[in-house]
Amino acid sequence: MLAYPELAAIRLGYGLSPLSSPPADPEALVAAIRTAGPDGDAFSVARDHLPHRSRFSDLNRSTAPDKDAQVQALRDIVRDIGARAPRIRMARAVGDAGGFGERLVQFWADHFTVTDGSVFDVVTAAAFVDEAIRPHLMGRFADLMVAAETHPRMITYLDQVTSIGPNSPAGKTGRGVNENLAREMIELHSLGAGSGYGQRDVRQLALLLTGLTFRPNRDGASFYNWNWAEPGSFEVLGKTYRRDRRKDEIREVIEDLAAHDATARHIARKLAVHFVSDDPPDSLVQRLAQAFRDSRGDLPTLYLVLAEAPELRDCFRQKLRQPFDYVVAALRGCGFAQADIMALEERAFRNLLLGGMFVMGQKWGSPRGPDGWPEDASAWATAQGLAGRIDWAMRMLPKLRPDLPDPRAFMQAALGDSASDALRWAVPKAESPAEGLAVILASPDFNRR
């Protein structure tokens, strides 16, 4: 039987690495999530976005003869800042000994999806992960949700910056209410589709949210513009919220959404689908949902239920790795360290790693919509996607590491005792190290976790 550390590394982390030993038991695995918190490379809206956006606004008003050159130089600076984001994320995933923490960063960043967009949006999207996701990995779901919904990137991505109450002091502008944030808060981020809410709930929540906005000339945080706020009372899912300067109605409604029974079921199923199976056993979903209810959304409690789940073994190899997961697992198996990824030349990183992911069907920072990347294997196991994986294994990986490891050593390093007899038979018969590595990286053993 596959030992627990190997099982957890493959199922809940980014795979095995010859450079580190995975945590020995579920408790240690959950404790190791703390290493995925913000570090010295964390992005900040206030530091990495605002000064440059302010300078951009000044240049747009400028009449200087070299204005265009200055604008382009500024864009280049911001682009270089943003280019660090995928490199840091991949490097941290490659170097995370436990792996579970960085997988959870990826999971929650996808649950609360934002996209890159413009060069300035790339920076705020990176800050979203470091300011809204990482600090709350080991806290309450409600706090994570508040941080995500009110972050400047979420507000700009879902057009909350255009939402003005029709009866507010600024209502005469005619811009009106935008329902995007309200809809995704209910449908994607908390209760889930088909959970009993109606259009009236969405509309009332959108009216309640008017006034929540972001301006790039402030201090880097979202703020409340009372001139845009719709006055009065709002009924969302049967509860009335009254506009009151003495309290935070937005936090109150998010707390209530986070505590809803449908939210417990929705989050439980999403965790089970992402980490265990496209069609997870109902027993696992029920246990996760009950843990969510009993702990009032305490995330480490959910993680421990998942880490202890017998379904990790029962549903082994039932999840197809997404391209990011696939690339990181391959790099870990080859013995790459976090510092190795940070040391790569920019062109090699973009062409061989991000470019490889793109050919496999996953363009960094560009999920198809607010619902994030698809979970179902059929979305990734396409002819083009699988051909992209083989091409990356045969052509791009050798450029990253010309001194390829012996395929048998790589098989043991990446798969441990989980490698099938068929793969153990085939690998030694490869005609070259590159071909042997490709056999492993194209196998169901490696592509499925």
Side-chain angles (χ1 to χ4, degrees):
M1 179 183 290
L2 189 64
Y4 180 82
E6 291 188 351
L7 175 73
I10 294 170
R11 299 242 60 194
L12 301 177
Y14 280 111
L16 296 164
S17 168
L19 302 182
S20 60
S21 298
D25 54 51
E27 290 79 9
L29 184 69
V30 172
I33 294 171
R34 295 191 182 280
T35 63
D39 63 7
D41 289 323
F43 284 79
S44 159
V45 172
R47 184 189 64 244
D48 299 312
H49 170 81
L50 289 187
H52 305 293
R53 190 58 185 261
S54 177
R55 173 62 177 156
F56 183 74
S57 297
D58 291 343
L59 285 173
N60 278 339
R61 294 189 295 267
S62 171
T63 58
D66 62 342
K67 170 183 172 179
D68 291 346
Q70 291 188 60
V71 168
Q72 186 57 52
L74 179 61
R75 284 186 175 277
D76 290 342
I77 291 171
V78 177
R79 186 175 291 107
D80 288 344
I81 294 172
R84 293 171 43 231
R87 181 191 292 267
I88 291 171
R89 284 276 292 281
M90 188 172 288
R92 291 194 68 171
V94 167
D96 184 3
F100 196 16
E102 290 301 316
R103 279 286 304 284
L104 286 165
V105 169
Q106 195 77 355
F107 171 81
W108 289 117
D110 193 61
H111 179 75
F112 296 105
T113 291
V114 298
T115 60
D116 279 356
S118 72
V119 292
F120 291 101
D121 293 337
V122 170
V123 175
T124 54
F128 173 81
V129 173
D130 289 334
E131 293 175 333
I133 304 297
R134 290 187 184 276
H136 300 284
L137 281 178
M138 294 293 278
R140 299 165 60 241
F141 176 73
D143 293 331
L144 171 61
M145 187 173 174
V146 168
E149 308 295 7
T150 61
H151 190 272
R153 182 57 192 136
M154 184 68 77
I155 290 172
T156 54
Y157 173 55
L158 293 179
D159 301 317
Q160 179 64 23
V161 290
T162 69
S163 192
I164 298 176
N167 298 304
S168 68
K172 62 183 179 182
T173 62
R175 285 165 65 178
V177 178
N178 188 292
E179 297 181 356
N180 288 353
L181 179 59
R183 187 177 308 282
E184 309 313 353
M185 280 174 64
I186 297 177
E187 182 173 307
L188 297 179
H189 303 160
S190 58
L191 277 68
S195 54
Y197 68 91
Q199 172 56 28
R200 186 177 184 278
D201 295 307
V202 173
R203 182 67 179 180
Q204 288 286 292
L205 179 56
L207 288 168
L208 186 153
L209 292 173
T210 53
L212 176 64
T213 191
F214 169 70
R215 289 178 187 167
N217 59 347
R218 289 177 65 91
D219 61 0
S222 58
F223 71 101
Y224 204 77
N225 185 343
W226 284 97
N227 286 328
W228 288 19
E230 179 74 1
S233 300
F234 316 95
E235 185 179 327
V236 182
L237 299 169
K239 179 176 177 177
T240 298
Y241 301 84
R242 292 179 175 83
R243 187 77 74 196
D244 189 340
R245 288 177 180 264
R246 294 170 299 178
K247 66 177 184 177
D248 186 347
E249 300 87 358
I250 293 176
R251 172 174 280 276
E252 184 182 359
V253 74
I254 292 176
E255 289 272 359
D256 289 337
L257 290 172
H260 200 283
D261 189 64
T263 299
R265 296 193 301 269
H266 181 55
I267 298 302
R269 181 166 179 79
K270 283 202 71 171
L271 281 165
V273 166
H274 182 79
F275 285 99
V276 177
S277 172
D278 290 347
D279 185 19
D282 190 55
S283 58
L284 173 60
V285 176
Q286 289 186 19
R287 293 201 312 277
L288 286 166
Q290 192 60 49
F292 190 102
R293 296 184 196 101
D294 292 345
S295 69
R296 299 183 178 182
D298 179 68
L299 295 178
T301 298
L302 269 70
Y303 303 153
L304 185 58
V305 171
L306 193 57
E308 293 176 337
E311 290 85 354
L312 293 175
R313 293 189 188 277
D314 299 341
C315 301
F316 195 52
R317 301 277 193 245
Q318 289 190 16
K319 282 298 296 186
L320 186 72
R321 281 179 162 142
Q322 293 183 16
F324 182 79
D325 184 355
Y326 173 87
V327 168
V328 170
L331 295 174
R332 286 170 65 89
C334 283
F336 278 82
Q338 182 171 343
D340 296 327
I341 306 304
M342 295 303 297
L344 287 174
E345 293 182 358
E346 179 62 21
R347 184 174 181 180
F349 177 79
R350 300 202 72 81
N351 290 347
L352 302 180
L353 293 179
L354 297 188
M357 285 174 52
F358 176 74
V359 174
M360 297 176 205
Q362 193 170 42
K363 182 180 179 182
W364 178 265
S366 301
R368 62 188 182 185
D371 55 346
W373 297 109
E375 286 286 353
D376 194 84
S378 62
W380 306 107
T382 64
Q384 181 178 348
L386 295 176
R389 296 182 188 221
I390 295 171
D391 178 68
W392 184 81
M394 291 289 293
R395 189 172 59 86
M396 298 186 186
L397 183 57
K399 293 179 180 179
L400 287 164
R401 173 135 292 177
D403 55 332
L404 290 174
D406 180 275
R408 289 164 294 187
F410 174 81
M411 180 170 57
Q412 185 61 39
L415 298 174
D417 292 335
S418 74
S420 64
D421 291 340
L423 188 62
R424 292 184 185 280
W425 177 86
V427 168
K429 300 183 182 304
E431 295 183 358
S432 67
E435 183 179 308
L437 224 60
V439 168
I440 299 167
L441 293 173
S443 70
D445 294 37
F446 188 84
N447 280 268
R448 290 186 172 273
R449 49 175 176 79

